[in-house]
Amino acid sequence: LVDAHQAVVDISKAGKDYWQRPGVWEDIHAAFEEFFRRNPNVTASRYNYAWYANACGDWDVLNQQLALLSEPINYDYFGGKESFELMRKTAAEHAKTKNPAK
C-alpha cells in the first residue's frame, strides 16, 4: 500500500501536497504498524517510516521513529545531515501536533 501511494506521486508528479491528502497517512501508518508487528526486528525500515511520517506531518510518529533509528544515522537517506537535523528539530517543535489532513 505504501508503494502504491509512492507510485501515485511518482507517476502523477503530485508533489509534496499529496502526502497531506485525507486517507494517505492512515494507509501508510496502518501498513507500517502491521509490518513492524510482524517484523519487529527489521530496523532498516524505520527510515522509511520516519520519512513518510515527516512527509505526512505526523510529528509524534516521526519522533518515535527517529528515536528507534540505529546509529550511525544514514543522513544521506534524508537528504544530508542538515536536512535530517532540520527534520528532527521540526518534529520536536511540533510534537503532539496532529496531521491537518486527519
Side-chain angles (χ1 to χ4, degrees):
L1 191 52
V2 174
D3 292 341
H5 281 291
Q6 186 63 57
V8 169
V9 171
D10 294 344
I11 292 168
S12 70
K13 307 291 187 216
K16 294 180 354 179
D17 293 339
Y18 178 83
W19 304 114
Q20 300 303 311
R21 291 182 184 177
V24 172
W25 174 242
E26 289 79 2
D27 286 350
I28 292 170
H29 179 65
F32 274 110
E33 288 298 316
E34 180 63 19
F35 174 82
F36 285 117
R37 188 185 69 73
R38 294 179 185 209
N39 306 283
N41 298 318
V42 181
T43 58
S45 293
R46 299 276 176 198
Y47 280 81
N48 303 77
Y49 197 9
W51 190 94
Y52 286 108
N54 183 58
C56 293
D58 192 320
W59 311 115
D60 295 333
V61 171
L62 177 55
N63 281 313
Q64 292 167 356
Q65 296 310 305
L66 291 175
L68 295 170
L69 295 181
S70 301
E71 294 288 338
I73 301 296
N74 178 1
Y75 297 115
D76 291 339
Y77 183 85
F78 298 103
K81 187 171 183 175
E82 187 175 310
S83 292
F84 177 82
E85 293 301 336
L86 178 60
M87 179 182 66
R88 183 190 302 244
K89 180 181 176 191
T90 302
E93 290 172 353
H94 291 93
K96 303 294 181 193
T97 299
K98 297 300 178 194
N99 179 344
K102 287 185 178 179

